């Protein structure tokens, strides 16, 4: 009799444990948080589409707009999970979408750096403006591809009840490449700005355009250029913080405390990307960089005439 009671109690306890399982997240995504992020990303993405079309800056579609759409997909999947946390398909979707989405947004800063170096003077730069963009965009594409592959591997493994660690390690490699690229970007940009601020060029003016830039140095930096630099710096910090968080999260493992804490993800992933993408909306290249680019091409045309 006593043994039977113990057996029944054990069965009920096991059933209760099974019923209270909260699925692959180890938490239930908070519904209002998901709705908030979806709304914010929708506003930013629509604004980027309008702004990119208005100013005819088409490279913003595979970068900022792509990021916004990816985040909408990821947070849409998390919103679905808030009502069905045990479903694996939305979990798999949000893994891939939120891990890869912000990567093209970093490329915006790489492209803007090329315009800034051309405008202020390539003689202060260790590499040519085009070379910076090629190197950093190449690393961005490689990072995006690796993260996407890792997300797919981890998602399929989780969906089939297997250990997703292999996919997580692949994603980690992609994130580390991204962190290295951002770090080098900060180093090269900082050196360029230091040399410009102290007027310590790496070479003498090589042509009429660079001689014109040397003469214009005494007039000081344009206000729009300063705003573009501040915005680029803030956006880079946000995306670097997010990359550091993702690195620690994946290093801690799929069963670790970090990946199972929703607040960390909301603030250090979603929050950082929101700050970066809205910074680009507010301090848009169409308002700040495009006028300077047009002026640069006018000066370039005059010096070649």
């Amino acid at each position: 009799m006593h043994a039977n009671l113990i057996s029944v109690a054990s069965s009920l306890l096991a059933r209760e444990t099974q019923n209270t399982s909260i699925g692959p997240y180890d938490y239930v995504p908070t519904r209002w948080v998901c709705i908030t992020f979806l709304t914010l990303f929708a506003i930013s993405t629509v604004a980027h589409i309008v702004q990119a079309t208005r100013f005819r800056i088409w490279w913003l579609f595979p970068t900022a707009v792509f990021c916004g759409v990816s985040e909408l997909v990821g947070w849409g999947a998390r919103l679905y999970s808030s009502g069905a946390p045990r479903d694996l398909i939305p979990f798999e979707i949000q893994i891939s979408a939120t891990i890869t989405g912000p990567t093209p947004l970093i490329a915006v800063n790489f492209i803007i750096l090329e315009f800034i170096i051309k405008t202020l003077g390539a003689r202060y730069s260790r590499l040519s403006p085009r070379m910076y963009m090629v190197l950093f965009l190449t690393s961005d594409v490689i990072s995006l591809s690796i993260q996407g592959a890792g997300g797919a591997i981890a998602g399929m493994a989780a969906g089939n009840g297997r250990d997703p660690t292999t996919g997580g390690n692949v994603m980690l490699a992609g994130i580390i490449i991204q962190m290295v690229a951002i770090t080098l970007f900060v180093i090269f940009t900082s050196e360029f700005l230091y040399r410009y601020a102290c007027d310590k060029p790496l070479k003498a003016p090589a042509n009429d355009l660079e001689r014109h830039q040397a003469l214009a140095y005494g007039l000081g930096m344009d206000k729009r250029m300063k705003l573009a630099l501040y915005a680029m710096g803030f956006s880079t910090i946000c995306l670097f913080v997010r990359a550091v968080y993702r690195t620690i999260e994946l290093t801690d493992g799929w069963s670790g405390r970090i990946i199972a804490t929703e607040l960390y993800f909301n603030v250090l992933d979603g929050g950082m990307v929101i700050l970066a993408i809205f910074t680009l909306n507010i301090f848009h290249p169409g308002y700040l960089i495009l006028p300077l680019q047009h002026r640069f091409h006018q000066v370039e045309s005059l010096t070649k005439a």
Side-chain angles (χ1 to χ4, degrees), residues 55-78:
F55 293 110
R56 298 182 180 275
I57 306 179
W58 307 121
W59 51 263
L60 284 172
F61 279 92
T63 53
V65 174
F66 178 90
C67 172
V69 171
S70 296
E71 292 291 341
L72 285 171
V73 171
W75 282 96
R78 289 178 69 85

Side-chain angles (χ1 to χ4, degrees), residues 71-301:
E71 292 291 341
L72 285 171
V73 171
W75 282 96
R78 289 178 69 85
L79 177 61
Y80 184 91
S81 294
S82 68
R86 295 183 183 88
D87 287 4
L88 288 174
I89 292 180
F91 175 74
E92 296 167 12
I93 291 173
Q94 66 90 32
I95 287 176
S96 295
T98 60
I99 197 74
T100 58
T103 301
L105 190 60
I106 301 171
V108 173
N109 290 338
F110 299 159
I111 296 171
I112 289 175
L113 177 63
E114 180 192 10
F115 294 142
I116 289 174
I117 291 176
K118 282 182 177 179
T119 304
L120 296 182
R123 62 200 188 98
Y124 297 102
S125 175
R126 191 162 294 277
L127 300 176
S128 69
R130 176 64 61 176
M131 184 59 67
Y132 277 123
M133 191 179 72
V134 170
L135 288 176
F136 287 127
L137 286 183
T138 300
S139 69
D140 212 45
V141 170
I142 293 172
S143 172
L144 177 64
S145 302
I146 293 175
Q147 290 177 62
I153 294 170
M156 287 188 293
N160 294 323
R162 299 196 306 269
D163 185 6
T165 300
T166 300
N169 289 337
V170 174
M171 285 193 291
L172 178 60
I175 287 287
I176 290 175
I177 291 173
Q178 186 180 98
M179 282 185 60
V180 171
I182 295 175
T183 301
L184 292 175
F185 170 77
V186 170
I187 291 172
F188 283 121
T189 304
S190 298
E191 183 199 18
F192 169 77
L193 293 175
Y194 167 77
R195 290 186 176 279
Y196 176 82
C198 298
D199 196 19
K200 293 183 177 180
L202 288 162
K203 56 186 178 181
N207 51 43
D208 289 339
L209 173 62
E210 292 189 354
R211 280 188 284 273
H212 175 85
Q213 289 172 329
L215 292 172
Y217 177 85
L219 299 176
M221 189 183 294
D222 186 278
K223 182 180 179 181
R224 285 170 296 189
M225 179 67 73
K226 291 180 180 179
L227 287 174
L229 286 169
Y230 293 147
M232 185 178 72
F234 178 74
S235 173
T236 300
I237 291 171
C238 291
L239 294 173
F240 186 77
V241 168
R242 181 256 176 192
V244 170
Y245 158 70
R246 281 294 199 169
T247 300
I248 297 172
E249 174 199 53
L250 293 172
T251 302
D252 191 45
W254 288 87
S255 58
R257 181 175 65 89
I258 295 174
I259 201 170
T261 304
E262 183 186 13
L263 180 63
Y264 294 160
F265 180 84
N266 292 342
V267 175
L268 297 175
D269 189 283
M272 293 300 105
V273 180
I274 280 290
L275 289 174
I277 200 168
F278 269 98
T279 297
L280 186 61
N281 284 124
I282 298 168
F283 302 96
H284 197 269
Y287 304 129
L288 303 178
I289 298 297
L290 202 59
L292 298 176
Q293 186 183 7
H294 289 161
R295 191 176 69 183
F296 170 81
H297 287 313
Q298 288 174 356
V299 173
E300 186 179 32
S301 299

